[in-house]
Amino acid sequence: MTRVWKWNRPVTVREVLEDLQKERSIAYTTVMTVLDNLHQKGWVRREAEGRAYRYEAVSTRAAYAAALMNDAWSQSDNAAAALVAFFGMMSEEQRQALTDAVRIVQLPESPAGENPGSAEDGSGR
């Protein structure tokens, strides 16, 4: 998947093979089998091109990572404690990325137009 995500375009078995062979010896049939398995599991889609296929990722690497985090978080019996522990493991760079992401998402306000957890006096602090 790393190679498919890296190129962000449909790839052939031959392209992945040639890239992997820069680092180690690997057989064409091994790469073909892995890409076929990824297709059967729904990770990549493929389109025939002559006698071969072009494989393309179904989702982005970021979406995959988000799904993994969501799955792990949903298995916790205390979501708040899991988040606190997770945030405690983050590097400063990761915390900055989280701050940037929250700023981008702009969590929706509650139905009454108040921020959750705001003071009873309505000051929002």
Side-chain angles (χ1 to χ4, degrees):
M1 282 306 302
T2 299
R3 296 310 200 269
V4 177
W5 281 323
K6 179 176 98 172
W7 289 320
N8 196 29
R9 63 170 174 78
V11 298
T12 63
V13 171
R14 176 73 51 202
E15 289 173 314
V16 175
L17 173 72
E18 289 173 0
D19 193 47
L20 288 170
Q21 285 180 332
K22 294 175 187 174
E23 300 170 13
R24 62 187 167 155
S25 178
I26 189 167
Y28 181 93
T29 54
T30 301
V31 177
M32 183 176 63
T33 299
V34 169
L35 284 168
D36 185 60
N37 289 342
L38 290 169
H39 175 258
Q40 289 178 24
K41 291 179 179 184
W43 286 55
V44 296
R45 62 180 145 262
R46 68 184 182 193
E47 188 172 316
E49 183 175 282
R51 292 179 28 177
Y53 288 106
R54 283 208 171 265
Y55 295 86
E56 183 176 21
V58 170
S59 69
T60 64
R61 182 177 225 151
Y64 172 70
L68 284 176
M69 289 186 285
N70 188 56
D71 184 51
W73 185 39
S74 68
Q75 293 181 35
S76 173
D77 61 349
N78 185 335
L83 284 173
V84 168
F86 180 65
F87 295 155
M89 295 177 194
M90 291 177 141
S91 67
E92 183 55 39
E93 182 179 299
Q94 290 169 324
R95 282 192 287 277
Q96 184 59 52
L98 175 64
T99 300
D100 293 344
V102 169
R103 199 173 298 124
I104 291 167
V105 172
Q106 293 293 318
L107 298 175
E109 294 182 9
S110 65
E114 298 174 0
N115 291 328
S118 65
E120 289 183 6
D121 66 1
S123 69
R125 292 184 210 160

